[in-house]
Amino acid sequence: MKHPQVTLPIAASTPLPHPDDPVLDLCVPVFNEERDLAPSVRRLHAHLRDTFPYPFRITVADNASTDTTPDIAARLAAELPEVAFIRLAEKGRGRALRAAWSGSSAPVVAYLDVDLSTGLTALLPLVAPLLSGHSDLAVGTRLAPGSRVVRGPRREVISRCYNVLLRCTLSVGFSDAQCGFKAVRREAAEQLLPLVRDSAWFFDTELLVVAERAGLRIHEVPVDWVDDPDSRVALLSTALADLRGIARLGRELAWGALPRRGRPFLAPAALIAFTHLLLYVALRPAAGAQVANALALLACWVAGQTVFGPLPPPALATRLALTAGALAALRHAVPTAGHRTELAVLAAVHLSLVLSLVLPLGLSLVLARSASGRNRTERTAP
């Protein structure tokens, strides 16, 4: 699927609406949250009323709840003038955010999770750079210095591994894709939403990847975050859906179906590998294997920064460690190995790194096609 070309970044300043209209429209997507909805919305409303200096709206977006959540949301909307309520016939956090944001006229649209795991004191720092025109998107991050996070080791490991996978496969620059605490200027949202295809949990990641590729400014806010022990997220199915989403974005980036500005996908890995091997051949006759390897890798990395934009420093350290280790192992195993053998070993290291990017995407594609085939079979079964 070919995405339309975007015309971002947008203008540097956002005009404020009429004094009685909301400046911030904060969406709270919910599904079967009859226990937490009322206390959370009342707490959020009281915080905004007491600390937020502009008019605001809280939009409760129900995703096809089957309990009393819609009734509670309707009562809150009738009781609190700053609270609105919309109901969707289908599930999906991304679907709820798309509906709420698309129907808003506020200069800044945002969302947070109903469990209020993120400290509310970060709300004003989240919105301020968007109102000032400094940034186009603002996201909470649990993985930056200054964040204070309380959660179990399982979720900590999964979160960190997911964000490392994003940096390795899609070369993203943001640190935390799935923190349920984000804000977007309305003009940016209007441009981005047609480009985002996911309607579930991967919506956040896709929104940020598309925005970064389009050259938008993303501001990260360190947050205080306490894990909700009653979280409804199904980790396994969500992880598989995220892998399928990463695979799809990888294909679209490789095919040029996403905005071209920003970081490319596999091109940096392939070009850096090729350039490194050429420079190694040129430097090896005048220097030792390790020196030639380090100089060649550093030179092509600097050139890659110029061509492709900022590249993640851990990737440079990983390449240096792997190539240096491979050369040392070769020298230990075969002391008389020649320059061609060294070059072959370095090429094998680079090939393994490229495959490490491709194979997870290939696996997720197989899973996606398998799931799609099962769905078609179920629909056509008598």
Side-chain angles (χ1 to χ4, degrees), residues 111-314:
Y111 95 92
L112 51 70
D113 292 332
V114 69
D115 56 21
L116 303 186
S117 294
T118 305
L120 295 181
T121 54
L123 259 176
L124 190 55
L126 185 82
V127 174
L130 306 186
L131 292 175
S132 69
H134 174 273
S135 302
D136 303 301
L137 293 87
V139 299
T141 174
R142 300 160 293 186
L143 303 178
S147 300
R148 290 185 290 183
V149 177
V150 178
R151 61 178 165 183
R154 183 186 181 193
R155 287 184 175 272
E156 180 75 13
V157 169
I158 290 174
S159 177
R160 290 188 178 275
C161 288
Y162 178 71
N163 285 285
V164 167
L165 179 63
L166 285 177
R167 288 195 292 272
C168 291
T169 56
L170 301 180
S171 191
V172 301
F174 46 85
S175 64
D176 190 354
Q178 290 192 312
C179 180
F181 193 67
K182 295 181 174 66
V184 189
R185 291 172 62 191
R186 190 184 74 244
E187 293 94 334
E190 290 172 350
Q191 298 276 357
L192 292 171
L193 289 178
L195 306 180
V196 179
R197 295 170 52 189
D198 192 82
S199 296
W201 294 100
F202 191 69
F203 176 91
D204 294 48
T205 300
E206 186 170 0
L207 180 77
L208 290 178
V209 170
V210 173
E212 190 174 60
R213 298 283 168 166
L216 290 183
R217 296 160 296 177
I218 300 176
H219 178 72
E220 293 196 322
V221 179
V223 298
D224 297 339
W225 197 86
V226 179
D227 189 20
D228 176 19
D230 190 37
S231 174
R232 311 294 173 84
V233 180
L235 293 181
L236 179 58
S237 59
T238 301
L240 292 176
D242 287 342
L243 283 175
R244 291 193 292 269
I246 292 173
R248 175 173 56 79
L249 284 185
R251 292 197 312 271
E252 293 173 358
L253 292 170
W255 295 342
L258 287 181
R260 298 177 182 178
R261 298 177 58 177
R263 299 174 180 84
F265 174 48
L266 288 176
L271 185 58
I272 286 173
F274 182 70
T275 307
H276 174 243
L277 295 176
L278 286 180
L279 290 175
Y280 183 83
V281 170
L283 293 171
R284 183 62 178 91
Q290 295 291 359
V291 174
N293 174 61
L295 289 177
L297 189 56
L298 183 59
C300 67
W301 195 265
V302 171
Q305 298 270 35
T306 302
V307 175
F308 298 114
L311 299 172

Side-chain angles (χ1 to χ4, degrees), residues 1-2 6 28 51 77 106 136 141 219 230 260 305 312 334 364:
M1 175 180 176
K2 202 80 171 178
V6 296
V28 181
T51 66
D136 303 301
T141 174
H219 178 72
D230 190 37
R260 298 177 182 178
Q305 298 270 35
V334 187
S364 60

Side-chain angles (χ1 to χ4, degrees), residues 99-110:
W101 289 356
S102 297
S104 178
S105 60
V108 174
V109 292

